[in-house]
Amino acid sequence: MTGSDNPGPAASDEEVVRYERRGPVAVVTMNRPEYRNAQNSVMTYALDAAFQRAVDDDEVTVIVLAGAGKHFSAGHDLGTPGRDTDVHYDNTAVLWWDHVGRAGGDQRFARESEVYLGMCRRWREIPKPMIASVQGACIAGALMLAWVADLIVAADDAFFADPVVRMGIPGVEYFAHPWVLGPRAAKEVLFTGERFGAEQAREWGMLNRVVPRAELEERTLQLAETIAGMPTFGLALAKKAVNQAEDQMGMRTGMDAAFGLHHFAHAHNAEVSGGDSLGGQNARSMRESGTGSGS
């Protein structure tokens, strides 16, 4: 189990992420429905362990990422009882020092390099195809989880937003917006912070399929089983080829640049507001803005 030397008050890996084999398909399910699957570090490392398990299992060809309950995910955990930003975890995604005990930008850069940008990049490179199965809210940090998947199947009740410009921050850490939405749609999403629905997301090219909510699980598994009929190594090479093409179009270097701006924004907020790096926003204010949890 990948996890914490000192997990503190947070739930165990087995509780926050479920793993199930369905023939050649591994279904990995975020399991904090009472908090709309808000992502704490326990969940991050439990997801990583589940993905590693699927990669290591020769019987698994395709991975499905889902969220238990009404919502896929409301984003990063900004204030639940299981929030664990000060807990030590062994770095898995980047070779950097631990964030615990560090101060200011050093602390935040170390943590977010690992649990946000680093983990998402690690998961994007999983050699087996991944399908995100999305219902309800997919907000801010949840976009990062959906975007690292190779395909996205969404229920017709799904809605999306990246409202973190309300914090004075130029988008979530895994800044894939211009590549998955296109530049003009990316600017609209960021500039307004407004929700957009599944049909709009499909029109912008972010989704592969939109299906009735009652059929989401079945239709996602059907697609996964179709893909599972292809040669595993051929799928891995095809995935790598497309990812490399995206990187040739500037995706990786663009993310690096945006990540620097992201942390500049945090530092600016802290300097002008007495140490508050979130610009006065919290889980409640982001929710009351009509968009959900934030960065």
Side-chain angles (χ1 to χ4, degrees):
M1 182 177 87
T2 303
S4 170
D5 291 348
N6 174 26
S12 71
D13 290 5
E14 290 79 12
E15 292 172 323
V16 298
V17 170
R18 299 199 309 260
Y19 184 96
E20 180 184 2
R21 266 279 310 280
R22 300 192 187 182
V25 181
V27 181
V28 176
T29 304
M30 295 178 284
N31 191 34
R32 299 184 77 204
E34 68 276 27
Y35 301 117
R36 300 197 298 170
N37 296 317
Q39 305 151 29
N40 57 9
S41 294
V42 166
M43 178 181 283
T44 295
Y45 284 89
L47 285 171
D48 191 68
F51 294 148
Q52 185 69 62
R53 179 178 176 183
V55 169
D56 291 340
D57 188 342
D58 290 340
E59 300 300 315
V60 169
T61 306
V62 181
I63 302 166
V64 169
L65 174 62
K70 185 177 179 181
H71 300 287
F72 177 73
S73 175
H76 300 331
D77 189 342
L78 292 183
T80 80
R83 190 168 189 244
D84 53 2
T85 57
D86 294 328
V87 176
H88 165 73
Y89 292 84
D90 293 332
N91 282 4
T92 299
V94 298
L95 188 60
W96 201 265
W97 49 72
D98 182 45
H99 71 286
V100 175
R102 302 283 173 169
D106 187 353
Q107 187 272 346
R108 185 174 293 274
F109 185 87
R111 181 173 185 272
E112 295 192 357
S113 294
E114 165 72 10
V115 300
Y116 298 151
L117 181 59
M119 279 295 189
C120 285
R121 283 178 164 172
R122 172 176 165 85
W123 298 338
R124 177 178 177 253
E125 299 302 321
I126 290 171
K128 298 181 179 182
M130 186 191 303
I131 305 172
S133 181
V134 177
Q135 80 283 1
C138 182
I139 305 297
L143 290 173
M144 300 178 1
L145 296 181
W147 288 346
V148 299
D150 303 291
L151 307 176
I152 304 175
V153 178
D156 51 14
D157 70 347
F159 59 93
F160 310 87
D162 186 356
V164 299
V165 173
R166 295 180 186 277
M167 299 176 173
I169 296 170
V172 291
E173 296 85 353
Y174 183 81
F175 191 84
H177 308 61
W179 292 270
V180 300
L181 293 167
R184 297 202 183 279
K187 289 177 181 178
E188 179 176 338
V189 167
L190 291 167
F191 291 176
T192 67
E194 293 176 348
R195 295 180 180 183
F196 55 101
E199 289 297 340
Q200 179 64 80
R202 182 168 61 177
E203 180 180 331
W204 282 335
M206 192 184 107
L207 304 180
N208 294 90
R209 302 183 182 184
V210 177
V211 302
R213 175 67 182 89
E215 300 175 16
L216 177 63
E217 181 178 359
E218 177 186 3
R219 297 279 289 273
T220 303
L221 288 172
Q222 286 176 352
L223 178 59
E225 288 164 1
T226 298
I227 295 170
M230 301 292 279
T232 300
F233 190 50
L235 289 169
L237 295 180
K239 177 170 180 171
K240 182 172 283 291
V242 175
N243 283 359
Q244 287 174 336
E246 282 187 311
D247 288 340
Q248 287 294 318
M249 291 186 279
M251 183 170 173
R252 187 175 183 87
T253 54
M255 280 188 185
D256 286 337
F259 192 64
L261 295 174
H262 183 102
H263 283 277
F264 176 67
H266 277 311
H268 172 75
N269 285 343
E271 187 169 341
V272 302
S273 59
D276 179 8
S277 63
L278 299 183
Q281 298 291 322
N282 55 36
R284 173 173 290 183
S285 67
M286 296 297 281
R287 184 168 59 250
E288 291 176 349
S289 73
T291 51
S293 291
S295 169

